[in-house]
């Protein structure tokens, strides 16, 4: 991972355009090729980013202080460096990933194996679908061939809905996947989380762990 702290301005050119005026910022360049721009607030959420696969070109003869990041769709993230305050690279190695608790991990395995539980005609793309901000629990297709991202929790609260929202925002930038809809699945979903999910067009699914294990009759409620 490369960490660059610099005074810079940033322009995004693609389906939308966006401009960040000059300010000190943190630029993360990861081994997967992703580039993200961070301010000293907003917790983990970047101001702007480019997901892999993409290429980074650091300057040209005519513009040596301009970084240009281009993705496979031809969208560009243009970073104009004014002053570099820090530039270092660190080898992090392979990350073991988030260790889910036993029930949550087993829920993911069971639902992936019985993906038609979400609806007739559903098919699995893969478990732990990697993105630049973390793995989506399950990525699948519905009966119409549309992409569906599933976030699994034992107890579904607002944080889980926010997490799925970030995944959907990122996945919907990929023309090969978009449009991507979301399913928030849990053994129990808090009322506030359900309200937020509904407001964002995310389906809520209550999972019966024992039923998925085949101990009881297979039951699932979709609200």
């Amino acid at each position: 991972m490369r960490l660059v702290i610099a005074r810079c301005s940033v322009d995004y050119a693609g389906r939308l355009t966006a401009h960040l005026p000059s300010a000190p910022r943190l630029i993360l360049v990861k081994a997967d090729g992703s580039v993200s721009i961070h301010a000293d607030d907003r917790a983990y959420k970047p101001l702007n980013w480019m997901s892999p696969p993409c290429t980074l070109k650091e300057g040209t003869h005519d513009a040596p202080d301009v970084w240009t990041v281009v993705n496979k769709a031809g969208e560009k993230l243009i970073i104009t460096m004014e002053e570099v305050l820090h530039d270092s690279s660190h080898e992090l190695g392979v990350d073991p990933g988030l260790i889910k608790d036993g029930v949550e991990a087993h829920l993911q395995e069971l639902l992936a194996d019985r993906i038609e539980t979400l609806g007739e005609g559903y098919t699995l793309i893969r478990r732990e679908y990697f993105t630049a901000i973390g793995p989506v629990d399950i990525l699948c297709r519905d009966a119409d061939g549309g992409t569906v991202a599933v976030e699994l929790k034992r107890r579904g609260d607002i944080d889980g809905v926010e997490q799925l929202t970030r995944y959907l925002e990122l996945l919907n930038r990929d023309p090969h996947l978009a449009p991507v809809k979301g399913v928030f699945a849990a053994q129990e979903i808090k009322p506030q989380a359900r309200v937020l999910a509904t407001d964002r067009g995310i389906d809520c699914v209550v999972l019966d762990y024992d039923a998925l294990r085949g101990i009881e009759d297979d039951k699932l409620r979709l609200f």
Side-chain angles (χ1 to χ4, degrees):
M1 179 182 291
R2 184 177 177 188
L3 308 176
V4 179
I5 299 174
R7 178 173 292 277
C8 62
S9 60
V10 183
D11 291 277
Y12 174 82
R15 286 174 293 174
L16 303 172
T17 58
H19 174 72
L20 295 172
S22 175
R25 296 188 175 95
L26 169 64
I27 303 166
L28 296 182
V29 183
K30 294 188 177 180
D32 63 5
S34 63
V35 178
S36 56
I37 316 295
H38 298 259
D40 199 12
D41 61 4
R42 300 169 185 255
Y44 44 80
K45 188 172 183 179
L47 297 165
N48 213 325
W49 68 91
M50 192 68 80
S51 302
C54 57
T55 57
L56 167 62
K57 187 173 183 179
E58 297 183 38
T60 64
H61 181 268
D62 296 327
D65 298 324
V66 176
W67 289 16
T68 303
V69 188
V70 183
N71 67 11
K72 60 185 178 182
E75 298 169 312
K76 294 183 179 180
L77 193 64
I78 302 168
I79 308 167
T80 302
M81 301 288 195
E82 298 170 15
E83 181 184 9
V84 176
L85 305 172
H86 175 85
D87 188 345
S88 63
S89 296
H90 308 270
E91 198 66 47
L92 301 185
V94 178
D95 191 273
L98 179 66
I99 305 300
K100 298 176 179 290
D101 71 52
V103 172
E104 194 170 312
H106 197 204
L107 271 174
Q108 184 192 100
E109 180 183 348
L110 290 170
L111 186 58
D113 189 51
R114 300 163 175 78
I115 198 65
E116 68 281 357
T117 306
L118 296 177
E120 187 177 350
Y122 270 65
T123 56
L124 179 69
I125 297 176
R126 66 167 296 168
R127 292 170 54 194
E128 298 288 332
Y129 184 87
F130 178 79
T131 76
I133 58 174
V136 177
D137 285 328
I138 293 176
L139 198 69
C140 57
R141 296 197 185 278
D142 61 20
D144 298 321
T147 311
V148 182
V150 183
E151 180 64 25
L152 279 163
K153 300 292 183 187
R154 271 204 306 153
R155 296 182 179 86
D157 55 22
I158 284 177
D159 286 346
V161 178
E162 292 285 6
Q163 183 179 0
L164 179 54
T165 300
R166 292 191 296 274
Y167 287 143
L168 291 171
E169 181 182 351
L170 186 61
L171 292 169
N172 273 301
R173 291 187 176 194
D174 187 336
H176 297 290
L177 297 175
V180 184
K181 68 179 183 180
V183 170
F184 188 52
Q187 291 178 276
E188 173 192 354
I189 299 178
K190 301 291 183 65
Q192 300 93 329
R194 188 183 297 280
V195 170
L196 181 61
T198 301
D199 181 67
R200 295 182 177 180
I202 295 171
D203 290 333
C204 290
V205 174
V206 176
L207 297 172
D208 187 325
Y209 180 58
D210 288 335
L212 281 173
R213 293 174 63 196
I215 294 175
E216 299 177 355
D217 292 337
D218 200 23
K219 296 177 183 178
L220 179 143
R221 299 186 299 277
L222 176 61
F223 298 88

